[in-house]
Amino acid sequence: MHNPKNIIQKIWEQHVVHQEEGKPDLLYIDLHLVHEVTSPQAFEGLRLNGRKVRRPELTFATMDHNIPTRQRQVINDPISKKQVDTLQQNCEEFGITLADIHHPDNGIVHVIGPELGLTQPGKTIVCGDSHTSTHGAFGALAFGIGTSEVEHVLATQTLWQAPPKTMNVKVNGKLGTGVTAKDLILAIIGKFGVRFGTGYVIEYTGEAIRGFSMEERMTVCNMSIEGGARAGLISPDETTVEYLRGRKHVPQGEAFEEAAAHWKALATDEGATYDTVVEIDAAEVEPQVTWGTNPGMCIPVTANVPSPDETDKPSEKDEIVRALEYMGLQAGQPISDVKIDHVFIGSCTNSRLSDLRKAAEIIRGKKVNPSVTAIVVPGSFSVKLSAEKEGLDQVFKDAGFEWRDAGCSMCLGMNDDIIPSGERCASTSNRNFEGRQGKGARTHLVSPEMAAAAAIAGHFVDVRKFTAQEVG
Amino acid sequence: MEPLRTLQGLVCPLNRTNVDTDQIIPKQFLKRIERSGFGQFLFYNWRFDDDGNPNPDFPLNQPQYKGASILVAGENFGCGSSREHAPWAIQDFGFKVIIAPSYADIFKNNTVKNGILAIQASDEQVQTIMKKAETEGYSLTINLEEQKVYDNEGFQFQFDIAPYPKEMLLNGWDEIGVTLTYEDKIEQYELTHK
């Protein structure tokens, strides 16, 4: 093929509005997702300058971060309530479609975008949220932006962006039984570090990625930002097309087939190159548990907590010492011995129907350990309803899990779902930063299967053995 | 946005790597709908103990760094969440310049939009500044036009910055205002990409 291109280059070229020496490119934005936390100051900026929203029909809003998961209509915190009410008013004033608390389309912004078919291959998608990278699973160029950029997109439908460097993260072979997309992305970040993707957009390729469902692909792309990359994407294929077919906001009938052909043509050309290529062998990936205070601090469930002596670099040594202290762990102790107090299954990383199904399979007929408080927070209204239709809610409730309403919830605890100081949580979310789930809270990132198994055992267990024991 | 050309200021060291935006401003302070007043919450969980008393070991609480306008930190500063509340808090606290070996992409973008200069220096330069900043009253001068950092002891270095953010910072431009002068190009794009 003449001048083969990767998908990142193709999408970029299709969206350049203007180029000039000494400036980044002016890039057109196809879809702007908005939530209540990072938008109020942007709307206020528009008002102060007498500006309008240029393309309200390309803008879609939801409320997710502050939403209570017990009684979603009742927001007790007056400041949270004001933020939610402000989004409602701003959407009315500027003519933006909003899936509010009562709306059947409501849910976590990165769950509902794909669910509604707003997320489509080849689109440029932004949101004032770093996990916007999730939408890259569809072969969209999707990245998080700050509030000033939110205002800029509202006013102009564009952003000034320097072309990113491109990286191919090639996943060779297939994952073993009991090893998940979550384990893969944690292992990638563990291997290459929390800043390997800075300045890059990643394309994930290889056999394991091709074999993934869309929901597994979303889990991988979601955590691109934890490796430093603003965006991570996967070339669209038949799996992508079949997921989107019939969804609310995609073209229907003949027009869908045309769109599908166009989407598939976006896939990276044979022979295209990248600025950087890294590889990982899928068969070597084991179920992961984070032990420290960033997502790169992860180890296989079969391993021991690392020691500061394993590095010579003073800043890294210091970081390990601080992390061990914060997490209340000893260097060298087996991670599987670590007892947990809480389990959280939810977040834009792992709260979709397939995540809940897999977790439910692990706990079916068993009981949550008496020392553990466990909750399930579906990613959207729609996920919740589908799960209830299948009876998954009953499986969780019978085991002793609390079955909650949709929202961001305990991933960052902007609502009431907070882990008390010093307590330990096995969490299917994306960040184990200090204080993320509550001041002094200790977060261990795991897959839904690993979280479910830990809930039953009361400590981390290798889900591969857990499953085998039960079956055998 | 205030233009930033030259600045002489006290240096405050924060010798930690991978400082994430959850540390810069914890989530409980993201609920406000204003842009101002976030400085009091900067590094809240590090600055204050569980009872809300200042932690005397944290540099920002030490009297010798009171009034500092230059923050020096380790690699990958500002990683994690896209919250612009992070640069708002840094600025509201009084910092105008950050010096670190590397930054997270979204955070770095957010600093420019708020008139904060995030200088990328080498590991060695950053460690030199960290060491010097242990001495009370250590200050640096920043000249953005010349892309230069220096002290009055002969230590100095040049830094790189792309032309666009440099121009934005020097002039304190309203970026949306600038972009709207390209409105005809945007319209043209929309007409040809329906």
Side-chain angles (χ1 to χ4, degrees):
Chain A
M1 184 181 284
H2 185 64
N3 193 17
K5 286 177 185 148
N6 67 47
I7 180 171
I8 304 158
Q9 295 162 329
K10 291 188 199 182
I11 299 176
W12 193 274
E13 284 172 10
Q14 289 173 10
H15 289 84
V16 173
V17 171
H18 175 71
Q19 272 177 323
E20 106 186 38
E21 183 74 24
K23 271 201 165 73
D25 293 346
L26 188 62
L27 203 68
Y28 200 78
I29 303 302
D30 296 322
L31 175 64
H32 185 188
L33 300 167
V34 173
H35 66 75
E36 79 275 18
V37 182
T38 54
S39 66
Q41 296 86 351
F43 285 111
E44 184 62 14
L46 292 183
R47 257 191 300 273
L48 289 172
N49 291 288
R51 289 168 179 152
K52 293 188 304 195
V53 174
R54 183 176 178 85
R55 299 291 300 273
E57 75 281 16
L58 301 183
T59 315
F60 189 94
T62 184
M63 29 188 71
D64 51 11
H65 284 63
N66 282 279
I67 305 308
T69 56
R70 277 202 184 89
Q71 260 196 301
R72 53 195 277 119
Q73 298 82 355
V74 187
I75 303 180
N76 289 318
D77 180 349
I79 315 174
S80 277
K81 183 160 188 335
K82 191 172 180 193
Q83 195 166 57
V84 165
D85 291 345
T86 301
L87 180 64
Q88 186 104 37
Q89 287 155 13
N90 283 330
C91 288
E92 278 166 25
E93 182 181 339
F94 290 94
I96 293 167
T97 305
L98 166 70
D100 68 12
I101 306 185
H102 311 286
H103 199 284
D105 290 344
N106 180 267
I108 304 175
V109 64
H110 309 309
V111 176
I112 65 168
E115 220 169 57
L116 296 171
L118 288 163
T119 304
Q120 291 169 17
K123 279 191 180 181
T124 45
I125 302 176
V126 296
C127 175
D129 195 289
S130 61
H131 292 111
T132 307
S133 58
T134 312
H135 307 263
F138 290 79
L141 183 66
F143 54 93
I145 56 177
T147 299
S148 294
E149 289 179 316
V150 169
E151 185 180 339
H152 193 279
V153 176
L154 288 172
T156 70
Q157 206 57 39
T158 63
L159 279 176
W160 294 98
Q161 293 286 307
K165 290 182 282 182
T166 62
M167 185 190 297
N168 178 3
V169 174
K170 205 172 161 211
V171 185
N172 298 318
K174 284 185 185 156
L175 294 174
T177 309
V179 184
T180 69
K182 179 66 162 287
D183 300 308
L184 173 64
I185 188 63
L186 282 172
I188 289 171
I189 300 164
K191 180 172 179 177
F192 302 112
V194 290
R195 42 184 184 269
F196 84 101
T198 305
Y200 287 91
V201 171
I202 292 172
E203 181 182 358
Y204 299 95
T205 66
E207 193 185 350
I209 300 290
R210 280 293 134 223
F212 278 162
S213 69
M214 287 317 296
E215 299 198 346
E216 290 171 313
R217 292 180 190 185
M218 284 188 249
T219 298
V220 172
C221 291
N222 171 275
M223 290 190 68
S224 302
I225 183 67
E226 313 314 333
R230 278 180 92 175
L233 51 68
I234 293 168
S235 282
D237 57 13
E238 209 47 52
T239 306
T240 322
V241 170
E242 287 317 309
Y243 177 97
L244 288 171
R245 188 184 295 279
R247 295 201 180 252
K248 193 170 172 181
H249 289 271
V250 298
Q252 307 295 330
E254 195 57 31
F256 181 81
E257 303 308 327
E258 272 174 44
H262 166 70
W263 293 338
K264 284 195 274 186
L266 288 165
T268 290
D269 297 331
E270 188 78 37
T273 57
Y274 304 81
D275 295 300
T276 304
V277 181
V278 299
E279 299 192 39
I280 185 165
D281 188 355
E284 282 174 13
V285 176
E286 294 186 68
Q288 302 285 308
V289 182
T290 64
W291 60 269
T293 51
N294 72 48
M297 293 173 158
C298 63
I299 48 174
V301 64
T302 51
N304 299 337
V305 174
S307 152
D309 301 334
E310 288 171 24
T311 171
D312 292 330
K313 214 177 159 190
S315 64
E316 281 175 15
K317 229 183 242 303
D318 187 49
E319 216 180 359
I320 295 175
V321 170
R322 283 181 49 82
L324 289 175
E325 192 192 325
Y326 181 86
M327 294 298 291
L329 296 174
Q330 301 296 321
Q333 86 181 98
I335 193 77
S336 58
D337 282 358
V338 175
K339 288 195 165 55
I340 55 161
D341 309 298
H342 299 265
V343 167
F344 169 57
I345 297 180
S347 87
C348 58
T349 315
N350 281 126
S351 65
R352 298 178 181 84
L353 190 58
S354 60
D355 297 315
L356 305 191
R357 281 180 185 153
K358 288 171 192 163
E361 273 324 298
I362 302 284
I363 61 159
R364 194 182 289 275
K366 302 191 183 71
K367 292 284 176 205
V368 169
N369 190 286
S371 64
V372 175
T373 309
I375 69 169
V376 186
V377 182
S380 69
F381 233 50
S382 159
V383 169
K384 182 168 190 258
L385 285 180
S386 306
E388 288 172 354
K389 237 180 236 171
E390 293 181 13
L392 298 182
D393 58 326
Q394 209 49 53
V395 176
F396 283 111
K397 284 191 260 188
D398 288 348
F401 272 81
E402 277 185 62
W403 178 253
R404 299 283 189 89
D405 278 327
C408 297
S409 179
M410 207 176 262
C411 174
L412 84 168
M414 275 192 73
N415 64 357
D416 307 327
D417 303 333
I418 290 169
I419 305 282
S421 185
E423 296 189 14
R424 202 176 286 287
C425 181
S427 179
T428 66
S429 54
N430 41 59
R431 287 192 176 131
N432 51 341
F433 295 153
E434 282 184 33
R436 175 81 178 176
Q437 295 188 298
K439 189 171 181 181
R442 293 162 172 164
T443 304
H444 297 269
L445 304 177
V446 287
S447 71
E449 290 90 325
M450 284 285 288
I456 304 301
H459 57 88
F460 294 108
V461 282
D462 188 339
V463 73
R464 295 170 298 185
K465 288 184 185 158
F466 194 78
T467 318
Q469 267 170 17
E470 298 317 311
V471 174
Chain B
M1 194 168 97
E2 298 257 318
L4 178 76
R5 292 180 169 272
T6 57
L7 171 87
Q8 189 191 18
L10 202 62
V11 179
C12 179
L14 180 63
N15 203 354
R16 296 184 185 184
T17 54
N18 299 317
V19 173
D20 59 75
T21 53
D22 274 81
Q23 304 321 314
I24 298 173
I25 181 139
K27 71 324 186 62
Q28 63 267 36
F29 308 115
L30 307 182
K31 298 178 183 179
R32 300 167 74 251
I33 57 169
E34 299 83 17
R35 227 176 226 267
S36 55
F38 286 99
Q40 55 188 312
F41 311 125
L42 179 67
F43 297 119
Y44 194 85
N45 291 348
W46 287 346
R47 259 168 78 204
F48 302 103
D49 67 17
D50 289 346
D51 302 320
N53 301 311
N55 162 17
D57 298 330
F58 194 64
L60 272 72
N61 288 332
Q62 292 165 358
Q64 70 177 101
Y65 300 120
K66 199 173 158 57
S69 56
I70 300 169
L71 181 67
V72 185
E75 268 186 285
N76 201 25
F77 188 79
C79 58
S81 154
S82 64
R83 58 188 73 165
E84 198 162 314
H85 311 69
W88 293 339
I90 287 170
Q91 187 173 51
D92 191 53
F93 192 83
F95 292 111
K96 293 184 167 65
V97 173
I98 310 169
I99 304 176
S102 61
Y103 300 89
D105 290 336
I106 304 177
F107 175 81
K108 196 166 184 187
N109 264 335
N110 287 341
T111 57
V112 179
K113 315 291 177 191
N114 289 282
I116 300 169
L117 171 62
I119 295 175
Q120 190 162 1
S122 70
D123 262 336
E124 208 182 344
Q125 286 157 349
V126 166
Q127 281 314 313
T128 304
I129 300 170
M130 292 274 185
K131 193 92 196 123
K132 282 169 167 273
E134 287 170 11
T135 314
E136 193 162 344
Y138 180 71
S139 73
L140 281 171
T141 303
I142 317 291
N143 184 323
L144 177 54
E145 186 71 62
E146 294 175 15
Q147 299 176 211
K148 216 168 114 178
V149 176
Y150 56 96
D151 66 11
N152 55 16
E153 298 162 2
F155 169 74
Q156 60 162 329
F157 67 92
Q158 295 278 135
F159 61 90
D160 286 334
I161 182 169
Y164 182 72
K166 181 176 176 178
E167 213 178 358
M168 294 285 300
L169 289 165
L170 283 173
N171 296 292
W173 275 335
D174 160 29
E175 194 182 34
I176 298 175
V178 173
T179 308
L180 288 174
T181 65
Y182 294 84
E183 212 168 356
D184 55 330
K185 305 248 180 203
I186 300 172
E187 266 165 31
Q188 211 179 343
Y189 179 92
E190 287 173 335
L191 282 172
T192 51
H193 291 77
K194 276 195 172 163

